[in-house]
Each structure stands twice: as C-alpha cells, then as structure tokens.
Amino acid sequence: MKRISLNEIEQNMQAESYEQLCIYIYTQIENGRLKPVKASKTNGKRPALYREYWIIDAEPRTSDQVYKEELKYKMSMQISTDYYLRHLPQYVSDRKWVLQLNDYFLNNQEINPEPVSKNERSFQIWGREKFLQQEQGKKILKRCGVAVSRLSFYETSEPLAYYSSHRNTPQNLLILENKDTFYSMRRHLISQKNDSDKKEGKREIFGMLFGTLIYGAGKGILRSFQDFSFCVEPYMQAKENQIYYFGDLDYEGIGIYERLAELSERQGIKIFPFINAYVMMLEKAQAAGELPKMKEKQNRNLSGYFFSCFPEQTVRTMKEILESERYIPQEIINITDFVKIRQKAQEGQHDAV
C-alpha cells in the first residue's frame, strides 16, 4: 500500500471547496480505495479529515474512470456532460442530484410534457419540493446544460382574493390596493338593501355599479395579475368587462397602478383608475387638516399615465399634495362615505319627484 497525504490528494483533485474534498475522500473510503492513517491525526476542521491515507487500490484513480464512463455512456441525451467531465470532484458532490435528473429524462420521453407547478416538478424529479426554488436545483440544471424551460413547469403566485356579488357579464371589476378598503366596500355591497338592485345582482360604489371587488395586496397584484387567467373564474375574464383600480394617493400607489396598467395592456386588458373614488379622497382631504407625511424612499419614477386620466385641476391638486411630501391613504374613506353618496342620490331623486 502506498501512503499519500491529504495535501497531495487535494492538489490532485483541484477541489473547488473543502466540502467537495470531504465528499470525494468519504466516497473513496466507502469504495475501499483509501484507508485513513489514524496515527497521522485529523486536520482539526469540521468535518475532520485525517492528514494521511493508505492507497489500497494499485490504480487509485480507477473510480474517476468509473465516473467518466457513467457520464459518457449512461446519461440521457438531454444532459450535457462537458462540465462534469472537466470537474469530476464536482460530479462526485452532485452525483445524486444528477442521476435523479437523468432518471427523470429517461423515464419521461415526451417532447412537450404536461406543465405542472415548479414545486410539483421539483418534487417529481428530486423528491424535494423546494429544490428548484431555494436549493441547488438551478445550479444542477446549469451544470447539466439543461434549460429551465425543458422541465415544463409554471410559476405560481398568491391567488387573488376577491368578492363577487354576481357573475353576470359585462360587469365592472374594482381592484383595491389595501385590505381595509376591500373589507369596507365588500361590507357595503353585501349590506345594500335595494330590492331592485338585489334582483338584478347589481351593487353601487360612488355612483358606479360593481359586480366584483379584488384585493390587490399592494405590489402583490403585479405578480398575481401575471396569472390572471389562472386565478379567476371565466366570467371575470369576459372581454366586455371594465376593470378599475383604486389605491393610496402617493408615489407608491400611483406607481403600482401604472405598472399594472402596462402589464395588463400586454395581455390585451385595459385598467382605468377609479376616478370617483380618488375625487372623494381629495374632497375629504380638504376637511381632514394636516395630511400624513410621505414615507421615505418611495419610487418617484412615474410615467404620467395615471395623471392623464384626470381633469387638469384635479391633477394640480394631487401634485400639490405629493410635492409637499404628503399623501392621502385609502383609509381616509370608509363605509359611511359610501352610504352618504347613496343617500344623496336618493334625496336628489326624491326632490325631482
């Protein structure tokens, strides 16, 4: 038996990390190629390795040849082995995951397999649902020369939370930035007692009829809306529907609307700001006294599309508030404001009679 030091093994391997060196030596010991020289003592690291080893095999690199043959002759055509042939220690480290990917390709020969979610595909291949999302999955694919699209999966976002008072089309849908306003408006729609409205399945907010309220969860709506067709029922996707947005009157809220409008237009969907609600915010702000200060580090890069939807005087008022480093939160309005608007409308009808 020939004696070899840990330093010599490390130099011969050209390992990229101590972890790779450990995996390589443990594998060689398990295969009976190396045996620790216990008198040499360990190197003091974690996990510990002995400073010297006996080479039991007359040809100590035979196992490397076995790995090379495995890469050359046992891999699916979907996997490129170039990287691992040049970095055998890395292959020893990754071998378990590479072989599982190889088994997936060998057992699934479909050119266009049925798409499943990322976590579902990850578990199907590696038995770990987060392997692609949070662990080594992407690195393994890159080293194997496998495009992510080859696994045929789709991303999943948080499902949209929404309330529908009816499923007739066409109808108006309203996306709300904040949770409190969503709950208040939903309470308002549920509590309306106009029999004719109930029969027709219609509900009114600030003079406009809405069939569905959608909780946007701040910036969350940007990701959720990418999967709009997956998240909602068919009636909500009807082309005749009109979709509106209502959020905080600050740079962040306006920015969310502008990015959402741009994103939706790519899908052939038009989203408008709910002008009546923003006007109500401004009216209440006049009587509110001092408005809250703007939060720091807001993205002030606006395209101007939001302001283009409002009358010039309204835009001036909005900009004056923003430029004074103040903002109007959605929460300035509540369920009593919806009731007042309805009562005013009913009083106007009564006076006309």
Side-chain angles (χ1 to χ4, degrees), residues 135-344:
E135 301 178 38
Q136 305 101 301
K138 290 180 181 178
K139 289 183 179 179
I140 298 297
L141 292 180
K142 184 177 180 180
R143 291 165 184 164
C144 289
V146 176
V148 173
S149 58
R150 179 65 185 82
L151 299 188
S152 187
F153 62 77
Y154 53 82
E155 301 281 354
T156 52
S157 56
E158 289 298 320
L160 285 172
Y162 59 89
Y163 164 74
S164 295
S165 63
H166 68 85
R167 290 170 171 74
N168 302 331
T169 57
Q171 66 164 266
N172 294 323
L173 293 81
L174 178 59
I175 300 172
L176 297 157
E177 179 182 344
N178 298 319
K179 182 165 56 178
D180 291 78
T181 309
F182 172 77
Y183 272 89
S184 295
M185 288 192 176
R186 186 180 68 171
R187 277 185 61 207
H188 174 64
L189 295 188
I190 292 173
S191 65
Q192 284 187 21
K193 297 180 180 180
N194 187 304
D195 291 337
S196 63
D197 279 357
K198 281 191 172 182
K199 289 176 184 177
E200 296 175 26
K202 295 178 179 178
R203 299 294 186 267
E204 186 179 291
I205 297 174
F206 293 142
M208 184 173 287
L209 299 172
F210 286 99
T212 300
L213 302 176
I214 299 172
Y215 171 45
K219 294 179 181 177
I221 188 63
L222 301 176
R223 175 172 291 183
S224 298
F225 209 82
Q226 292 177 347
D227 300 321
F228 187 68
S229 59
F230 293 106
C231 293
V232 301
E233 299 177 58
Y235 76 89
M236 292 172 65
Q237 303 176 51
K239 292 183 179 180
E240 318 87 61
N241 291 342
Q242 292 284 351
I243 305 180
Y244 295 85
Y245 182 86
F246 177 40
D248 291 336
L249 190 57
D250 61 1
Y251 291 107
E252 200 71 43
I254 295 171
I256 292 172
Y257 166 73
E258 291 187 338
R259 291 194 293 277
L260 179 61
E262 181 182 358
L263 175 66
S264 63
E265 282 191 8
R266 293 177 197 161
Q267 303 180 43
I269 302 171
K270 188 88 171 173
I271 298 180
F272 306 91
F274 185 18
I275 294 176
N276 292 3
Y278 285 104
V279 170
M280 173 58 70
M281 288 175 76
L282 291 171
E283 289 181 4
K284 290 204 71 177
Q286 290 178 350
E290 190 175 51
L291 292 171
K293 288 185 178 180
M294 186 89 66
K295 297 173 184 175
E296 294 182 3
K297 298 181 180 179
Q298 287 203 358
N299 184 352
R300 305 187 179 209
N301 246 344
L302 303 179
S303 68
Y305 182 71
F306 174 81
F307 293 124
S308 70
C309 301
F310 292 84
E312 187 176 338
Q313 179 56 50
T314 303
V315 172
R316 279 201 297 269
T317 304
M318 289 178 171
K319 288 185 175 180
E320 284 173 5
I321 292 171
L322 298 176
E323 289 168 5
S324 67
E325 298 299 320
R326 302 287 173 172
Y327 78 102
I328 310 177
Q330 266 191 311
E331 290 81 358
I332 196 171
I333 59 174
N334 56 59
I335 194 168
T336 61
D337 298 307
F338 313 146
V339 174
K340 287 175 184 176
I341 290 291
R342 188 168 182 80
Q343 286 174 344
K344 286 181 182 179

Side-chain angles (χ1 to χ4, degrees), residues 64-82 84-85 88 91 98-99 102-103 106:
D64 291 352
Q65 190 61 39
V66 171
Y67 292 137
K68 287 181 180 178
E69 290 176 0
E70 184 173 75
L71 286 166
K72 288 179 180 178
Y73 307 116
K74 295 185 179 180
M75 292 293 156
S76 162
M77 295 296 291
Q78 302 292 335
I79 294 177
S80 170
T81 59
D82 294 346
Y84 285 122
L85 285 170
L88 275 181
Y91 178 62
V98 176
L99 291 180
N102 187 53
D103 288 343
L106 292 177

